[in-house]
Amino acid sequence: MLRTALLFGTVLGILALVWVVLLMVTGSNPYGPRRLMTTPLVPFVVIGSQWFVRRYYPTGPGIGKAILTGLLTAVFASVVSAVTLYGFARSADPRLLERNAEEATKILQSARSYYLKQPGGVERYKLDQQNIARTPQELAQDELSKKLILGLLFAIPGGIFLRK
């Protein structure tokens, strides 16, 4: 169970790093919105690990082991992904982070009129402005939180469904 979660989580974390490297090599912003294209893979990996662990138990792993497998997979995938992104951002050109912050600021400024039309939009605009990742730590924190939350949301129902 632990090995399955570690395997699936590590593979997704490394796949996220490969995606970021490919974005950089192709000239795209490796820290921009395209970086998040690996996030939708988290539910598939969590459910896949829960499905895979069923082969070790003839009558099914049970609800506890199935949910725990999904939770551990989500944690491993999030941590490996965040750590590898942090290491990449620390070793890559710092101008990439500056370019990302500039692009994010431009996108946010172009959507300002939309924000101002919404109730509470001014506060949301200011909050989004503050949340623009400018350091490797902030990038890693963003990666960790998004993947972990999504993984946890799918681990529990997946474990209930795949308990037998």
Side-chain angles (χ1 to χ4, degrees), residues 34-50:
R34 288 188 183 136
R35 168 184 58 92
L36 300 175
M37 290 177 78
T38 58
T39 303
L41 296 177
V42 173
F44 294 108
V45 170
V46 167
I47 301 294
S49 70
Q50 291 170 326

Side-chain angles (χ1 to χ4, degrees), residues 125-159:
Y125 180 79
K126 289 179 183 177
L127 183 63
D128 285 351
Q129 226 173 7
Q130 291 173 353
N131 287 339
I132 294 174
R134 290 173 166 61
T135 65
Q137 294 88 348
E138 291 170 348
L139 277 171
Q141 181 182 1
D142 181 55
E143 185 84 2
L144 179 76
S145 64
K146 284 187 171 122
K147 287 191 176 168
L148 186 60
I149 289 170
L150 189 61
L152 295 179
L153 286 175
F154 279 85
I156 295 170

Side-chain angles (χ1 to χ4, degrees), residues 5-163:
L6 186 61
L7 173 70
F8 277 73
T10 303
V11 167
L12 180 61
I14 292 172
L15 184 66
L17 174 67
V18 169
W19 178 248
V20 169
V21 170
L22 281 173
L23 286 174
M24 186 189 75
V25 168
T26 59
S28 295
N29 180 358
Y31 309 126
R34 288 188 183 136
R35 168 184 58 92
L36 300 175
M37 290 177 78
T38 58
T39 303
L41 296 177
V42 173
F44 294 108
V45 170
V46 167
I47 301 294
S49 70
Q50 291 170 326
W51 182 269
F52 192 77
V53 82
R54 290 174 57 182
R55 73 182 189 146
Y56 297 116
Y57 301 97
T59 59
I63 193 165
K65 289 180 182 174
I67 290 175
L68 185 61
T69 301
L71 293 174
L72 287 173
T73 302
V75 169
F76 289 140
S78 303
V79 169
V80 171
S81 185
V83 167
T84 56
L85 181 64
Y86 175 78
F88 176 80
R90 293 277 302 185
S91 62
D93 189 0
R95 290 179 290 188
L96 289 173
L97 274 170
E98 293 170 13
R99 180 176 139 206
N100 176 59
E102 290 171 6
E103 286 180 14
T105 302
K106 286 179 186 175
I107 292 171
L108 195 59
Q109 286 173 350
S110 68
R112 185 176 180 167
S113 63
Y114 174 76
Y115 277 94
L116 297 178
K117 292 177 186 175
Q118 305 299 320
V122 174
E123 293 83 19
R124 181 71 182 162
Y125 180 79
K126 289 179 183 177
L127 183 63
D128 285 351
Q129 226 173 7
Q130 291 173 353
N131 287 339
I132 294 174
R134 290 173 166 61
T135 65
Q137 294 88 348
E138 291 170 348
L139 277 171
Q141 181 182 1
D142 181 55
E143 185 84 2
L144 179 76
S145 64
K146 284 187 171 122
K147 287 191 176 168
L148 186 60
I149 289 170
L150 189 61
L152 295 179
L153 286 175
F154 279 85
I156 295 170
I160 292 170
F161 183 73
L162 296 170
R163 68 184 181 268

